[in-house]
Amino acid sequence: MGLLIVLLLTSAALPWASSDPSDEACLTHLSQTLKDPLKNLQNWTKSTFANPCSGFTSYLPGATCNNGRIYKLSLTNLSLQGSISPFLSNCTNLQSLDLSSNSISGTIPQDLQYLVNLAVLNLSSNRLEGEIPPQLTLCAYLNVIDLHDNLLTGQIPQELGLLARLSAFDVSYNKLSGPIPASLGNRSGALPRFNATSFEGNKDLYGYPLAPMKTKGLSALAIVGIGLGSGLASLVLSFTGVCIWLKITEEKMAAEEGKVSQYMPDY
């Protein structure tokens, strides 16, 4: 009887293995919006979503666990298609999201703002469209924002410059336009600064640290060249004119001398 009581007390003290309902909803919806043509995510099933973690052990490829919660998702270069589910924001313990080098389309969900612990956001080398959500500023711990090589449009939100921890920022090779916010292009104090490679490849994007945009029409070099060419042509014409005038004058003088010599007596 005493042994039975001990066993019951011991079992009651041990926590039951169960998933966080938020993580389960996050993973379920993400698997529904992503397409996996190469079947790289075969273990991403409903039964696994119910218990994806056991302490620091993950049962999902591409997922890393910390104390029973999903804290890192790295699904890179898997030929994934589809879109990013806004329900990804339910993974509230997520600190790193890397979906780079796939063929994911659609927009960047504004709901990512609820990932308040997010430090790394890498959605580069996909087919994402639309604007960069300014709400990402609410992810105050962001150290890395990498969105290069997509189809993003619109302006770079000025609010992103308020991210004091931001040390890596890349929006190159998109379709962004307008001025580069000074809070990102010309940061002051001890804040990390980003060079031109972070912004290049956007035809209608301008401002420091990018080189000045080429002005339409003739370049300054062309104008100088035309000016020099015109000056040289004028000089040649003027010189030619002087030569002709001298030649004509010389002939006239010779003719006059001939006339005068006819009337001069011989001595």
Side-chain angles (χ1 to χ4, degrees):
M1 183 67 179
L3 181 60
L4 179 60
I5 293 174
V6 172
L7 290 173
L8 289 174
L9 290 174
T10 304
S11 62
L14 293 173
W16 291 95
S18 60
S19 69
D20 185 281
S22 296
D23 283 359
E24 185 176 358
C26 162
L27 297 169
T28 299
H29 285 91
L30 183 61
S31 67
Q32 291 173 350
T33 58
L34 288 179
K35 297 178 181 179
D36 179 25
L38 301 184
K39 307 299 181 185
N40 289 309
L41 304 178
Q42 291 187 13
N43 290 345
W44 280 55
T45 60
K46 187 175 181 180
S47 58
T48 311
F49 298 154
N51 188 24
C53 298
S54 177
F56 293 91
T57 303
S58 169
Y59 302 119
L60 288 174
T64 305
C65 297
N66 182 11
N67 198 24
R69 296 289 308 276
I70 299 289
Y71 93 102
K72 181 178 180 180
L73 282 176
S74 181
L75 306 176
T76 66
N77 198 24
L78 297 176
S79 299
L80 298 177
Q81 301 173 4
S83 60
I84 302 173
S85 170
F87 287 94
L88 187 60
S89 60
N90 284 342
C91 286
T92 53
N93 203 48
L94 198 64
Q95 296 180 27
S96 177
L97 176 62
D98 190 348
L99 302 177
S100 61
S101 301
N102 287 293
S103 298
I104 300 172
S105 56
T107 60
I108 300 174
Q110 297 181 5
D111 297 64
L112 295 186
Q113 65 180 299
Y114 300 116
L115 297 175
V116 294
N117 295 306
L118 194 64
V120 176
L121 177 63
N122 189 349
L123 305 177
S124 63
S125 300
N126 279 289
R127 298 176 182 174
L128 295 171
E129 301 176 334
E131 299 185 353
I132 301 172
Q135 292 86 350
L136 290 178
T137 311
L138 297 177
C139 303
Y141 291 102
L142 271 173
N143 290 308
V144 176
I145 297 179
D146 191 350
L147 306 175
H148 81 267
D149 195 15
N150 276 288
L151 304 171
L152 299 172
T153 55
Q155 297 189 6
I156 300 174
Q158 295 186 8
E159 295 88 340
L160 297 183
L162 300 175
L163 293 168
R165 298 172 182 261
L166 194 62
S167 59
F169 182 76
D170 193 346
V171 292
S172 60
Y173 297 98
N174 278 281
K175 296 183 178 181
L176 298 171
S177 59
I180 296 174
S183 56
L184 287 170
N186 193 17
R187 307 182 99 191
S188 58
L191 295 175
R193 300 189 178 188
F194 311 118
N195 57 32
T197 58
S198 295
F199 306 98
E200 64 186 7
N202 293 280
K203 184 177 65 173
D204 296 320
L205 193 65
Y206 60 89
Y208 186 84
L210 290 177
M213 295 181 70
K214 293 181 179 180
T215 56
K216 294 182 178 180
L218 296 175
S219 65
L221 185 61
I223 293 173
V224 171
I226 292 174
L228 291 175
S230 299
L232 182 60
S234 299
L235 183 62
V236 171
L237 290 174
S238 299
F239 180 75
T240 304
V242 170
C243 291
I244 294 172
W245 178 81
L246 289 173
K247 181 68 174 176
I248 294 173
T249 302
E250 184 180 356
E251 290 177 352
K252 285 184 177 181
M253 290 179 65
E256 290 296 329
E257 285 185 5
K259 291 180 181 179
V260 172
S261 61
Q262 292 178 1
Y263 299 103
M264 290 289 291
D266 293 330
Y267 295 100

